[in-house]
Amino acid sequence: MDYKKLIAADLVAVIGESLTEEEIYQFLEVPKTSSHGDYAFPVFSLAKVYRKAPNMIAEELVEKLSKEHYENIVPTGGYINFFLNKKEVSEHVLETIVKEKEHYGDANIGSGNIPIDLSSPNIAKPMSMGHLRSTVIGNSLAELAAKVGYTPIRINHLGDWGTQFGKLIVAFKKWGDEEAVKKEPIAELLKLYVQFHDEAEEHPELEDQGREWFKKLEDNDPEAVRLWKWFREESLKEFNKVYDMLGITFDSENGEAFYNDKMDHVIEVLEEKDLLVSDKGADIVNLEKYDLNPALIRKSDGATLYITRDLAAAEYRINTYDFVEVLYVVGNEQAGHFKQLKAVLKEMGYDWADNIKHIPFGLITANGKKLSTRKGNVILLEEVLHEAIAATKKGIEEKNPGLENKDEVAHQVGVGAVIFHDLKNDRMNMFDFNLNDIIQFEGETGPYVQYTRSRCESILSKADWSVEDFKPGSLNDVDSWEVVKALDNFPNKVVEAYQKYEPSVMAKYLIDLAQKFNKYYSKHKILADDVEKEARLSLVYSVSVVIKEGLRLLGIQSPDMM
Ligand code: ARG
């Protein structure tokens, strides 16, 4: 229940017309210390209308306010502090969660399709930590979108087209070895790509050959197509290993190449609207009025570009999915590209261009250094995941050697640690990656949150309590009160995380909930036989349900034991 709404409604009844209920709602604050109540209303916002000192206004209003739902309402200086009724609220919150279980927090803020363009690594190159960010942020946004009522469509817009494939074909024909590629596709193809760039510095004619072979590929030359297909398949096999580990599936793997035969329409519309301008033989669209550089649509040799394929993809997506909005979860370094994409679509006369949303994120560095493919200075995602799993397994061997299905748990915790670390940072923040920090069971980590939940599960099984045993009861102490309030806040956080396109809202919430629960746990005997035992156990159960559901929204699993 939204207690803030309740307070706003009570306040508007005594304040009258000078503020709307909505405005009061916005003004309500959560005090820094709980001795100042659960919510506080800053009275200075009324001083103008009442022409009195805020503390006097506060006192008068408190006199008039209905006290029905509160333990106390106290005027304190310029504030009115509201203390909610702990018994009433805790009983209500626990009953709701027990009833709704994993559906607690389901919302209906909208409906319709939301394609989410995520992951989208480039064929023949390693999937980097940057692609990991896109994959896990995009996947979490998809879960959140579904939770609040939309239908997400996960699209892996593979980078499987472009001039680099011409270069790769040249390199493979000159120096490549089929067996070596089969054995270690990405590493081998990357090596060839790097070699091409090294050699091209001394032999610039290689660049021309690369361009020729890309042209052949675009013209459906059988040899070029065969090699390209093969590179694509081998690369996908590698990517799928990572997706399997992360437990992520896609609704579509239509990459850039899929749009090859769909760009003519884009060109037609651009020509029809007289938007294409010839510039040294190439075709561009001027975007001066948007304060953007011109968009290069077609090169002088007729070759199309990344943006041309994205224009065709956008048309395809509106026609196929009739989307409410479409999210592109792509690094901030492509902000310019997405501004251009939107602007060109606008120029083409598409109103829905406003619903194209770039969801940018910051770079990941390793030991303070930027990661780049060209130099071969990449952290390989698959290796990172394997290392995280292995390190977690070692930790389990030390702490809990008797644990059943150790491998499964190590997988869930190791992979969860990597995902959680990525998602707990505001997406625009840059962050450094240090494996050892993220797999700790203490601190603000995924394993800490998972461990807190497994603690809940172990208490419940010790008590031999199952949810069918639930009897309504209420709690009335300050530590459980913090937990109850956090639980009550879960539905708001779900909506906030989606509306801000910010899974970190959920990750931070889970850390806070886990910390509050652990504080409660350290001070109270949950299994003591007294009147509140039932209520305490349903609190433990509720924490378990909410953590599991919250982690699921981040794409992370919750082992019952660890
Ligand atoms: N393949 C691109 C890259 O790795 C990302 C593609 C993003 N999606 C898009 N529709 N442009 O940089």
Side-chain angles (χ1 to χ4, degrees):
M1 179 154 159
D2 195 343
Y3 293 97
K4 213 169 142 184
K5 262 214 175 97
L6 184 98
I7 297 172
D10 282 348
L11 272 168
V12 80
V14 296
I15 287 175
E17 288 182 351
S18 50
L19 285 180
T20 65
E21 195 174 317
E22 191 48 44
E23 286 166 331
I24 297 174
Y25 186 88
Q26 296 303 335
F27 272 124
L28 282 168
E29 299 170 8
V30 175
K32 295 242 154 51
T33 64
S34 39
S35 59
H36 285 165
D38 305 308
Y39 288 100
F41 178 69
V43 180
F44 65 81
S45 51
L46 292 167
K48 260 212 196 104
V49 206
Y50 284 75
R51 299 175 188 288
K52 276 187 205 160
N55 58 328
M56 287 177 65
I57 306 172
E59 276 171 33
E60 282 177 26
L61 289 177
V62 170
E63 287 280 296
K64 292 190 211 153
L65 271 164
S66 146
K67 313 282 184 309
E68 203 191 322
H69 293 286
Y70 309 97
E71 224 158 76
N72 211 349
I73 305 179
V74 187
T76 316
Y79 284 89
I80 300 177
N81 295 332
F82 293 84
F83 294 78
L84 295 171
N85 186 321
K86 294 191 190 61
K87 284 194 166 171
E88 205 177 289
V89 175
S90 65
E91 185 165 337
H92 173 78
V93 170
L94 299 179
E95 226 179 319
T96 308
I97 299 174
V98 163
K99 200 171 85 209
E100 299 179 354
K101 303 190 177 60
E102 72 272 20
H103 291 295
Y104 179 58
D106 284 6
N108 224 321
I109 64 169
S111 63
N113 288 335
I114 301 196
I116 302 179
D117 186 309
L118 75 164
S119 197
S120 312
N122 302 317
I123 295 301
K125 287 197 193 166
M127 197 187 313
S128 66
M129 291 297 284
H131 293 117
L132 169 77
R133 293 218 78 185
S134 168
T135 310
V136 301
I137 294 171
N139 182 57
S140 175
L141 291 177
E143 298 293 357
L144 287 162
K147 182 91 177 161
V148 299
Y150 297 104
T151 308
I153 294 147
R154 292 170 175 81
I155 303 178
N156 196 359
H157 186 81
L158 291 168
D160 56 3
W161 205 250
T163 44
Q164 70 272 28
F165 292 102
K167 300 178 188 177
L168 201 58
I169 293 174
V170 171
F172 180 76
K173 284 169 69 74
K174 280 198 188 322
W175 315 295
D177 169 48
E178 187 161 335
E179 281 314 306
V181 174
K182 275 199 178 133
K183 217 164 133 221
E184 266 189 299
I186 304 234
E188 198 54 32
L189 292 173
L190 179 65
K191 209 166 90 192
L192 288 170
Y193 189 69
V194 172
Q195 189 174 357
F196 182 92
H197 279 274
D198 289 346
E199 305 250 348
E201 267 170 33
E202 306 210 341
H203 308 280
E205 67 279 7
L206 280 173
E207 297 281 356
D208 295 326
Q209 293 176 20
R211 267 188 289 276
E212 267 163 43
W213 273 97
F214 180 57
K215 189 83 187 91
K216 283 193 189 177
L217 185 57
E218 288 213 302
D219 295 340
N220 265 323
D221 171 90
E223 184 181 9
V225 171
R226 182 182 62 80
L227 284 171
W228 169 78
K229 270 204 175 131
W230 180 54
F231 296 155
R232 188 181 191 277
E233 262 164 41
E234 294 294 333
S235 306
L236 256 180
K237 273 190 217 154
E238 295 272 289
F239 297 155
N240 282 333
K241 285 190 205 158
V242 173
Y243 298 138
D244 285 348
M245 273 200 252
L246 294 171
I248 286 177
T249 55
F250 298 95
D251 302 299
S252 160
E253 281 183 335
N254 291 336
E256 294 187 37
F258 178 76
Y259 300 100
N260 275 340
D261 59 355
K262 298 174 183 63
M263 285 180 281
D264 287 350
H265 183 258
V266 171
I267 305 278
E268 265 165 39
V269 176
L270 288 172
E271 275 171 348
E272 209 174 276
K273 304 228 158 182
D274 242 349
L275 293 167
L276 276 189
V277 181
S278 160
D279 182 72
K280 297 183 208 101
D283 292 314
I284 62 169
V285 173
N286 273 317
L287 298 173
E288 253 159 53
K289 71 174 185 214
Y290 298 87
D291 225 357
L292 296 170
N293 289 330
L296 177 55
I297 304 291
R298 198 160 48 182
K299 288 192 192 167
S300 52
D301 62 3
T304 56
L305 291 105
Y306 183 49
I307 194 166
T308 327
R309 293 184 282 281
D310 254 333
L311 288 164
E315 282 188 338
Y316 178 83
R317 288 170 188 178
I318 192 76
N319 293 334
T320 311
Y321 304 115
D322 189 24
F323 55 73
V324 186
E325 56 184 14
V326 52
L327 311 183
Y328 292 79
V329 188
V330 187
N332 193 37
E333 67 280 4
Q334 292 194 29
H337 167 76
F338 286 102
K339 282 195 189 129
Q340 287 185 324
L341 176 65
K342 238 175 131 147
V344 176
L345 290 168
K346 264 238 124 101
E347 287 298 280
M348 290 166 84
Y350 298 135
D351 294 339
W352 47 263
D354 291 329
N355 303 325
I356 298 253
K357 296 199 174 147
H358 177 211
I359 311 296
F361 52 81
L363 280 178
I364 305 186
T365 53
N367 311 317
K369 273 192 257 125
K370 193 188 154 187
L371 306 161
S372 101
T373 345
R374 197 66 78 69
K375 308 246 158 50
N377 165 28
V378 282
I379 300 188
L380 293 185
L381 193 45
E382 207 189 319
E383 276 168 29
V384 169
L385 292 172
H386 279 303
E387 279 174 33
I389 294 169
T392 306
K393 177 103 186 276
K394 221 175 118 209
I396 295 176
E397 297 287 4
E398 283 162 20
K399 289 198 191 86
N400 193 358
L403 182 71
E404 273 174 47
N405 52 14
K406 274 183 242 175
D407 284 318
E408 196 189 337
V409 175
H411 183 107
Q412 294 176 337
V413 177
V415 172
V418 175
I419 299 179
F420 194 89
H421 177 69
D422 192 318
L423 293 182
K424 79 168 185 194
N425 294 285
D426 292 7
R427 66 181 150 72
M428 282 305 280
N429 280 0
M430 286 176 58
F431 66 85
D432 210 64
F433 186 85
N434 177 319
L435 186 71
N436 196 45
D437 293 347
I438 70 173
I439 58 163
Q440 298 304 321
F441 279 35
E442 274 123 59
E444 303 186 346
T445 65
Y448 171 72
V449 176
Q450 287 171 318
Y451 187 69
T452 303
R453 178 179 170 277
S454 79
R455 168 173 283 162
C456 292
E457 287 299 306
S458 112
I459 297 168
L460 293 172
S461 79
K462 239 190 224 144
D464 204 11
W465 190 90
S466 87
V467 61
E468 290 80 46
D469 302 336
F470 173 76
K471 285 183 227 62
S474 55
L475 292 163
N476 200 17
D477 64 279
V478 285
D479 301 309
S480 69
W481 181 234
E482 292 303 317
V483 181
V484 167
K485 277 197 291 180
L487 291 171
D488 185 48
N489 211 6
F490 177 68
N492 290 333
K493 289 291 172 182
V494 170
V495 172
E496 185 188 333
Y498 184 71
Q499 282 177 336
K500 291 184 175 160
Y501 306 115
E502 194 54 274
S504 65
V505 166
M506 184 49 60
K508 287 179 182 141
Y509 165 82
L510 290 173
I511 292 170
D512 179 62
L513 173 64
Q515 286 171 343
K516 285 176 172 154
F517 175 75
N518 285 320
K519 188 166 171 206
Y520 171 72
Y521 172 79
S522 70
K523 294 214 223 159
H524 297 262
K525 291 212 158 55
I526 297 191
L527 297 176
D529 259 317
D530 58 29
V531 284
E532 285 189 347
K533 181 176 175 189
E534 274 298 316
R536 281 195 301 271
L537 285 168
S538 52
L539 180 78
V540 172
Y541 171 80
S542 300
V543 170
S544 172
V545 167
V546 169
I547 289 184
K548 184 172 183 179
E549 179 62 4
L551 286 174
R552 189 189 68 78
L553 292 170
L554 299 178
I556 299 173
Q557 290 177 291
S558 298
D560 289 343
M561 282 188 280
M562 62 187 269

